[in-house]
Amino acid sequence: MRYLFAALVVALGIALFALTFAMVNRTEPEAAYGVPFELTDQDGAPISEAAFRGQPTALFFGFTHCPEICPTTLYELDGWLAELGEAGERIDAYFVTIDPERDTPEVLGDYVASVTDRVRGISGDPEAVREMARGFGVYFKRVELDDGDYTMDHTASVFLLDSNGAFRKTIAYGENPETAVEKLRDLAGT
């Protein structure tokens, strides 16, 4: 009986060790970044957070009336992706408006197409756009101008998401181009 008890204790210890080892070394993907959303792409087709799964993604929030940051970022992102060659083709890129009242899908499509064919525009119902932006931790604020028009303050970073939609890092506005390309090269491998 003593040997049976000892064998049972050893077997239980081995099972406990195996279970602990499996739990500690589990390799589940990180949770997707952001929030679920249902918006419209620049061609009028529905788009959701599922578009950010299955391939690495570069995501930028801005608006078409932006005087400098947005067109510069789109232009630079297009160049960085081109510089990566085949690796850059594995990255999907999106420009999400934070000014959906003016940036309809058609307006957004024309704006993005005038700079690059590598980036897709996303717009939609204004409240749904604001919910998405808040869910991604994007700062945005409407700023009234003296002439009765307005502009938008906003986060000026490109968010980099891996193929599971998990946050990897950002590219800051004005970041060193070589550093930006290396970040995208690293992203292409995820």
Side-chain angles (χ1 to χ4, degrees), residues 41-44 63-65 95 97 99-114 121-123:
D41 76 7
Q42 67 190 40
D43 296 323
F63 66 114
T64 63
H65 288 75
F95 177 73
T97 183
D99 185 15
E101 287 83 4
R102 290 188 290 194
D103 296 343
T104 64
E106 183 180 350
V107 167
L108 195 57
D110 290 344
Y111 177 79
V112 172
S114 72
I122 299 176
S123 186

Side-chain angles (χ1 to χ4, degrees), residues 121-158:
I122 299 176
S123 186
D125 173 74
E127 189 50 40
V129 169
R130 287 188 274 278
E131 270 183 48
M132 181 207 182
R134 283 191 291 270
F136 275 80
V138 172
Y139 166 79
F140 59 96
K141 180 182 175 184
R142 181 176 165 144
V143 178
E144 300 299 327
L145 300 174
D146 292 337
D147 64 3
D149 200 4
Y150 68 93
T151 189
M152 301 291 292
D153 283 347
H154 63 92
T155 299
S157 296
V158 178

Side-chain angles (χ1 to χ4, degrees), residues 51-190:
F52 305 157
R53 312 288 190 283
Q55 71 293 318
T57 302
L59 183 63
F60 180 69
F61 292 81
F63 66 114
T64 63
H65 288 75
C66 182
E68 181 181 340
I69 292 171
C70 300
T72 300
T73 300
L74 286 174
Y75 176 79
E76 289 177 339
L77 182 57
D78 180 64
W80 298 331
L81 292 170
E83 186 174 332
L84 289 175
E86 191 175 303
E89 294 173 16
R90 292 193 294 267
I91 299 172
D92 284 352
Y94 296 93
F95 177 73
V96 182
T97 183
I98 46 116
D99 185 15
E101 287 83 4
R102 290 188 290 194
D103 296 343
T104 64
E106 183 180 350
V107 167
L108 195 57
D110 290 344
Y111 177 79
V112 172
S114 72
V115 179
T116 176
D117 63 353
R118 293 276 307 132
V119 179
R120 306 281 304 153
I122 299 176
S123 186
D125 173 74
E127 189 50 40
V129 169
R130 287 188 274 278
E131 270 183 48
M132 181 207 182
R134 283 191 291 270
F136 275 80
V138 172
Y139 166 79
F140 59 96
K141 180 182 175 184
R142 181 176 165 144
V143 178
E144 300 299 327
L145 300 174
D146 292 337
D147 64 3
D149 200 4
Y150 68 93
T151 189
M152 301 291 292
D153 283 347
H154 63 92
T155 299
S157 296
V158 178
F159 294 80
L160 304 180
L161 310 177
D162 68 17
S163 58
N164 295 313
F167 176 80
R168 295 285 292 211
K169 53 187 81 171
T170 61
I171 298 173
Y173 178 70
E175 186 156 340
N176 177 296
E178 289 81 24
T179 303
V181 169
E182 282 310 308
K183 287 180 177 182
L184 288 166
R185 188 181 318 282
D186 177 58
L187 181 70
T190 65

